[in-house]
Amino acid sequence: MRFPRKSAITVAGAGSVGCYVGALLAASGRKVTLLSRAPLAEAIASHGIRASDLEGRDTTLPPTALTATADASAALQSAKIVLVTVKSRDTETVAQLIKAYTAKDTVVVSLQNGVDNAHVLRRVLGPKRRVLAAMVPFNVVQNRESNEAPRFHRATSGVIRIQTGVDGLRKLLNVKGARVAEHPDIEAVMWGKLLVNLNNALNALSDLPLHQQLRDRRWRLLMSRQMREGLAVLRAAGVRPAPVEGVPPRLMAFALRLPDALFRLAARGMLAVDKNARSSMWDDLRRGRQTEIDHLQGEIVRLAAGYGIPAPLNRRVLELIKKAEEAQNGSPALSPEAISAAR
């Protein structure tokens, strides 16, 4: 399959990650439409969009460089590629919109957290649709000021991994600041990322910037315990998670337990994080939104129950996030000791 440079790309559910990727695609001359919530779509349509990153790139595009809309019909009808970036809880809803408004040959790519979103998209769209899973390794921070272009800042690094199977797609999507590589076992990649993403909830509970959290061994020990519980569950399920940015999850779980000084020497890449960045789950709590906890710790807890394997810390963190969701007061700002002591 050939994809001309001007093939219409729609980012469905464009929030922080979707707007960042969409902006860089547009900056590289791709034809991009962002399907977003009305306030964000209106801000971009009025003021343009700004994308920056940890390496110092900083690009502001005028409103004419891409289309931003809250109208699903207008955004999807001409799309040749749809990049799905909604939260996992909204995957089925956006799949119904894609089914209603796109052509049968439109390629759909899930750029979402969790391991089940591509399966949900395939179930709704049918077996003849081309649906690919992909993994986004980096964190994006959104900042909006009145009368300015909304800014989307990539606060960590990494290469987007996309499922093999559609010729020419990687070349179309691979642009500066959002590099894309194909991978033959995307399921393993997704499980590896899920293990790393277990920290999203810890960060949300801590109310700390990621950089500060990672420098504290007490938090890293909790991260490691969660990962090791997940690894035990996946081993029982016969799943071998792939390395994340070249680091096997088992080695990462070991490195997290190192004393602070050794960790700073051995894991400099993990500390290459913007000093103000927090997890998207922290942002969800701040905004009073439902989080993706059921698709992260929830996946581990469900598998653990099925195989009769304990996963007490993952269960505990899941319960604490649910409690924070109900409280609607943002992050509870818990200490590592409070999480360990929770019942």
Side-chain angles (χ1 to χ4, degrees), residues 18 43 117 128 142 153 165 186 189 229 231 249-250 329:
N117 290 296
K128 294 185 179 179
Q142 179 181 160
H153 179 70
I186 201 67
V189 170
E229 285 182 3
L231 284 163
R250 190 170 300 282
N329 287 324

Side-chain angles (χ1 to χ4, degrees), residues 71-95:
D71 184 338
S73 173
L76 292 167
Q77 282 186 348
S78 63
K80 295 300 181 184
I81 301 104
V82 176
L83 307 180
V84 178
T85 59
V86 296
K87 298 289 187 178
S88 298
R89 62 180 179 270
D90 296 323
T91 301
E92 184 149 358
T93 299
V94 82

Side-chain angles (χ1 to χ4, degrees), residues 6-20:
K6 289 295 185 179
S7 296
I9 302 170
T10 292
V11 183
S16 296
V17 168
C19 283
Y20 175 80

Side-chain angles (χ1 to χ4, degrees), residues 22 37 47 53 66 76 93 104 115 139 155 159 176 195 216 236 245 247 257 262 266-267 295 308 316 320 330 339:
R37 288 188 174 94
H47 305 293
D53 64 30
L66 75 178
L76 292 167
T93 299
K104 301 295 185 185
V115 295
N139 171 283
V159 176
K176 288 181 180 180
L195 291 173
D216 187 332
E245 294 303 303
V247 182
R257 299 166 64 189
L262 285 177
H295 301 274
R316 192 170 300 166
L320 289 169
I339 293 172

Side-chain angles (χ1 to χ4, degrees), residues 52-244:
S52 57
D53 64 30
L54 197 63
E55 290 78 38
R57 297 184 189 89
D58 196 338
T59 302
T60 300
L61 301 178
T64 54
L66 75 178
T67 301
T69 179
D71 184 338
S73 173
L76 292 167
Q77 282 186 348
S78 63
K80 295 300 181 184
I81 301 104
V82 176
L83 307 180
V84 178
T85 59
V86 296
K87 298 289 187 178
S88 298
R89 62 180 179 270
D90 296 323
T91 301
E92 184 149 358
T93 299
V94 82
Q96 295 291 354
L97 293 173
I98 293 169
K99 184 176 183 179
Y101 295 123
T102 63
K104 301 295 185 185
D105 61 348
T106 299
V107 176
V108 179
V109 184
S110 169
L111 294 175
Q112 301 165 272
N113 286 332
V115 295
D116 198 42
N117 290 296
H119 300 298
V120 174
L121 290 166
R122 292 185 189 108
R123 173 171 55 77
V124 175
L125 296 174
K128 294 185 179 179
R129 286 291 198 114
R130 300 304 300 270
V131 176
L132 281 72
M135 184 276 287
V136 178
F138 47 75
N139 171 283
V140 176
V141 177
Q142 179 181 160
N143 183 45
R144 269 190 271 173
E145 301 288 344
S146 60
N147 299 319
E148 292 184 8
R151 181 186 182 188
F152 300 89
H153 179 70
R154 176 168 58 77
T156 55
S157 60
V159 176
I160 297 170
R161 307 289 171 178
I162 190 169
Q163 184 176 357
T164 56
V166 176
D167 292 341
L169 184 61
R170 187 205 71 85
K171 183 177 181 181
L172 181 71
L173 299 180
N174 182 41
V175 296
K176 288 181 180 180
R179 292 299 186 189
V180 175
E182 291 183 315
H183 198 285
D185 189 356
I186 201 67
E187 292 287 337
V189 170
M190 300 299 289
W191 278 111
K193 178 67 186 311
L194 185 144
L195 291 173
V196 174
N197 275 348
L198 295 175
N199 185 53
N200 287 6
L202 289 179
N203 183 253
L205 294 171
S206 77
D207 202 27
L208 297 172
L210 284 162
H211 188 266
Q212 184 177 341
Q213 182 204 1
L214 285 168
R215 292 174 70 87
D216 187 332
R217 186 169 184 258
R218 298 172 303 157
W219 285 108
R220 296 200 308 275
L221 289 173
L222 290 179
M223 293 165 61
S224 178
R225 280 175 55 192
Q226 284 193 126
M227 290 185 70
R228 285 181 287 131
E229 285 182 3
L231 284 163
V233 171
L234 295 185
R235 185 165 55 249
V239 176
R240 297 186 64 181
V244 177

